[in-house]
Amino acid sequence: MGDILRRDVGIERRFVHQRQSLTFGFNVRPAGASAFKHPALTYYGERVSDGIDYLNFFPAGGVTRANLFVFREHTDPWVKALRDRPRETLIETLPGLLKTFGDFEVIDRVSSWLTDITVAENCKRDGVVLIGDAYQTSCPAAGTGVSRLLTDVERLCMVHVPQWMASPGMAAAKIATFYDDPTKQAMDERGLELANFRRSLTIDTDLRWRARRQVHFSRRRILHEIDKFSPSFAARLRGLKRPQVEAVT
């Protein structure tokens, strides 16, 4: 991810979306109880105005980790309030959180990351190949970073490196076959589509996205109710192939 190394070999990067999203991470423990109501929970933003995609709680190393994905400007006073008073700010922003998850206290400093969506350019160079976020950064809220990275590694190990090693040298013409790989390109495009989708689903206010939010979360609620009575059937429904997400322009 180092820009200096990238510049040293003549590779540039193009901004697709500056300040795409903010991610916050911190650890919590129960307050006034021995355990939370759920061992793990994904809690979605309650209003478009809160700019919250979702808050994810999960057990990690003897504590409960919280990762919060937000589409707000980094200069928003709310961001400073979250760092200074995380519990109080979350309760004010997500009034239903305590009822759903239980009371909590934040036990360490709130870490934060500002993500830009960028794509490497002029990267078909002799002897150098970029994979994962080094080639194209991922929106953390979309959750495609690991899948894209593993796809890049699989294509290199199973297809391209064996072909490259079959003849001398590692010229740019060989490297180009990796970047032109249809499977890799499809995964990278999917990452951009989902980054746009998560952002628009969270904060866009036009009629189209208001309707899509209603459908999206109604589907989730229905699936949750099915899961109560038949987890196996709900799992089969989740496993059905989902339609392609529209690219947002």
Side-chain angles (χ1 to χ4, degrees), residues 3-249:
D3 279 340
I4 293 176
L5 176 60
R6 188 159 34 208
R7 287 198 300 268
D8 284 349
V9 295
I11 296 174
E12 302 165 348
R13 63 172 180 163
R14 172 174 57 87
F15 284 91
V16 177
H17 197 295
Q18 289 183 280
R19 300 183 296 278
Q20 159 79 7
S21 63
L22 278 165
T23 304
F24 300 90
F26 48 92
N27 296 323
V28 299
R29 63 188 174 201
S34 60
F36 291 117
K37 295 181 179 179
H38 307 280
L41 177 73
T42 299
Y43 192 94
Y44 290 87
E46 297 183 14
R47 299 173 299 275
V48 174
S49 60
D50 63 33
I52 292 177
D53 190 349
Y54 59 93
L55 172 61
N56 197 19
F57 293 104
F58 56 93
V63 298
T64 296
R65 182 68 175 173
N67 287 338
L68 175 65
F69 304 96
V70 175
F71 296 101
R72 285 180 180 254
E73 289 296 326
H74 67 286
T75 55
D76 191 321
W78 182 91
V79 174
K80 184 178 186 304
L82 182 70
R83 293 195 185 103
D84 294 342
R85 302 181 301 110
R87 177 185 176 276
E88 293 79 3
T89 303
L90 283 175
I91 292 172
E92 291 168 4
T93 309
L94 303 171
L97 180 60
L98 292 188
K99 180 180 178 181
T100 303
F101 190 59
D103 200 359
F104 62 91
E105 59 178 311
V106 178
I107 58 177
D108 59 359
R109 183 176 65 87
V110 176
S111 300
S112 62
W113 303 266
L114 177 63
T115 299
D116 297 317
I117 302 297
T118 66
V119 178
E121 292 190 327
N122 196 30
C123 56
K124 297 175 182 179
R125 320 290 293 187
D126 294 348
V128 177
V129 64
L130 303 180
I131 65 174
D133 278 9
Y135 173 71
Q136 175 183 300
T137 55
S138 304
C139 176
T144 59
V146 173
S147 296
R148 287 185 45 249
L149 174 62
L150 292 178
T151 297
D152 285 351
V153 172
E154 187 273 336
R155 301 311 290 167
L156 281 173
C157 292
M158 303 304 295
V159 179
H160 299 288
V161 170
Q163 294 176 357
W164 295 346
M165 299 298 289
S167 60
M170 202 61 65
K174 285 186 176 180
I175 302 297
T177 62
F178 168 70
Y179 295 116
D180 296 338
D181 186 300
T183 301
K184 171 188 169 47
Q185 290 182 342
M187 282 298 296
D188 289 338
E189 182 62 28
R190 178 68 170 166
L192 293 178
E193 289 177 356
L194 283 173
N196 286 329
F197 175 77
R198 295 306 320 175
R199 184 178 178 87
S200 293
L201 188 70
T202 302
I203 63 174
D204 278 7
T205 57
D206 61 39
L207 180 60
R208 173 195 173 198
W209 283 103
R210 289 202 301 270
R212 292 198 69 173
R213 267 191 295 275
Q214 289 293 329
V215 172
H216 182 82
F217 288 106
S218 293
R219 185 185 296 123
R220 283 187 174 275
R221 284 190 290 268
I222 292 170
L223 192 58
H224 176 69
E225 292 302 318
I226 293 174
D227 196 31
K228 291 180 181 178
F229 297 100
S230 178
S232 60
F233 182 55
R236 289 198 297 273
L237 291 176
R238 290 190 181 97
L240 294 177
K241 181 176 176 60
R242 295 180 180 180
Q244 291 293 311
V245 173
E246 302 172 21
V248 181
T249 58

